[in-house]
Amino acid sequence: MENSVKLGVKYMLFASVMFAFMGATAKELSDSMSSIEVVFFRNVFGVVLILLSIYKSPLNQIGGKMWLLIFRGTAGFIALLFFFYNIANIPLGEAMTFSKTSAIFTAIFAYVFVKEKLGIKGWFGVFIGFIGILFITKFDGSSLDKTDYLGILCGVGAGLAYTSIRELRKYYDNRAIVLSFMAIGTIGPLILLIIGEFYTNENLDFLFAPFVMPKGIDWLFIILLGIFATFAQVFMTKAYSCAKAGIIGTIGYSNIAFSILLGLFLGDSLPDIWITFGILLIVISGVLVSMKKD
């Protein structure tokens, strides 16, 4: 049992490094194309891999929840769209931290929709998490930057997606659930890019942008993006199969530290004391919410 936990921790640490490199690669690609296009390339790679997997080993599932499956894919796609926009426009560590607020919203949505108990520890974690969000956004009661509310909506979208997975697992093969997300995450950006050829709006640049043909080294980054994202997903899944969710979820927050380090290498500045405190509170929040599941 102890060896299984150690193996799970190692898998999750590796997955966290891969997620950080995925973010760094996406940030590099954002210099030459829109974040919408980066989302397209990130997902189309996954669609190909999953379809190959299904071809080799057909799906084994009951089905019957198609609208919930579409909802999961759409919520996940929107969260990823906002996440990659933030990666392109704010320090990598901050963008990753916003995405990690999904644990807070998942706990709330699971309590409301799935009737999952939260307990005192869980509610305290949710409270701490919202305080952390206030520090990261430096919200003073007046207004939020575009990246702030998109970061929060990223957490909300991911929270909805993760909550729906709990129900979908009863009816669908895990690959079908992931495919719903990646297929919508491939078709959605294509539609937005087509619209972006005829319509642009600076305030909606996270939704509409023209397609830019990748050149030279961009193709290398696109391949790396797909590889890093795939390895991250595979090893995260392995980690959760080896140890309790609370332990693995806690280790997953190392992703923020790796992202801050990679961000510094790419030219990001160190987070100031307020953002650092906010990140710390969100990590504590996530740990508390994860531990209540065990």
Side-chain angles (χ1 to χ4, degrees):
M1 180 66 179
E2 184 179 346
N3 289 334
S4 179
V5 172
K6 287 182 179 178
L7 189 61
V9 169
K10 289 179 181 178
Y11 283 154
M12 193 62 216
L13 282 172
F14 182 73
S16 294
V17 172
M18 290 295 99
F19 274 123
F21 272 107
M22 180 201 76
T25 308
K27 197 173 186 69
E28 284 296 297
L29 280 171
S30 297
D31 289 337
S32 55
M33 64 182 68
S34 70
S35 56
I36 304 164
E37 192 170 338
V38 178
V39 170
F40 166 75
F41 283 117
R42 181 255 185 265
N43 283 318
V44 74
F45 193 97
V47 167
V48 173
L49 290 178
I50 292 174
L51 288 177
L52 285 173
S53 171
I54 293 173
Y55 175 75
K56 291 180 179 179
S57 177
L59 296 174
N60 181 19
Q61 59 190 26
I62 301 171
K65 294 283 184 177
M66 181 57 67
W67 286 112
L68 185 60
L69 193 66
I70 293 173
F71 174 81
R72 181 269 181 268
T74 303
F77 160 56
I78 291 172
L80 190 65
L81 196 64
F82 295 164
F83 173 48
F84 273 36
Y85 181 85
N86 273 3
I87 283 179
N89 291 280
I90 62 175
L92 186 58
E94 289 179 39
M96 287 290 181
T97 304
F98 272 122
S99 73
K100 287 295 185 181
T101 62
S102 60
I104 304 168
F105 296 108
T106 300
I108 295 173
F109 295 142
Y111 174 80
V112 173
F113 298 116
V114 190
K115 308 304 178 185
E116 183 177 289
K117 293 181 180 180
L118 199 50
I120 295 176
K121 186 187 294 182
W123 281 116
F124 183 61
V126 169
F127 174 75
I128 293 269
F130 279 113
I131 298 298
I133 290 173
L134 291 178
F135 274 97
I136 286 183
T137 59
K138 299 181 181 178
F139 184 59
D140 59 4
S142 58
S143 63
L144 293 172
D145 292 335
K146 184 195 296 185
T147 53
D148 290 334
Y149 68 75
L150 288 180
I152 295 170
L153 289 174
C154 168
V156 172
L160 286 170
Y162 294 148
T163 304
S164 64
I165 288 173
R166 301 184 185 194
E167 181 70 11
L168 286 169
R169 280 177 176 165
K170 302 174 186 176
Y171 301 91
Y172 290 96
D173 187 304
N174 282 337
R175 291 171 297 168
I177 298 173
V178 175
L179 182 61
S180 72
F181 159 56
M182 291 193 169
I184 292 174
T186 300
I187 297 169
L190 276 178
I191 294 172
L192 296 176
L193 288 167
I194 291 171
I195 295 173
E197 293 290 336
F198 307 96
Y199 174 79
T200 56
N201 185 320
E202 187 177 345
N203 293 323
L204 297 176
D205 57 343
F206 57 91
L207 285 179
F208 307 114
F211 178 82
V212 177
M213 180 59 69
K215 297 178 181 178
I217 198 170
D218 288 342
W219 289 111
L220 173 61
F221 283 128
I222 287 169
I223 294 171
L224 289 175
L225 178 71
I227 291 172
F228 291 143
T230 301
F231 271 103
Q233 291 290 342
V234 168
F235 279 89
M236 181 177 69
T237 302
K238 285 178 176 287
Y240 276 104
S241 68
C242 291
K244 290 182 177 181
I247 297 172
I248 299 305
T250 300
I251 299 300
Y253 282 89
S254 61
N255 178 9
I256 296 174
F258 294 134
S259 296
I260 290 174
L261 290 173
L262 279 177
L264 292 174
F265 180 76
L266 296 176
D268 289 344
S269 57
L270 272 171
D272 62 32
I273 188 168
W274 301 111
I275 292 177
T276 301
F277 187 59
I279 291 173
L280 179 61
L281 288 178
I282 287 175
V283 171
I284 293 173
S285 165
V287 171
L288 289 172
V289 170
S290 296
M291 286 176 63
K292 65 91 187 174
K293 298 173 185 174
D294 295 329

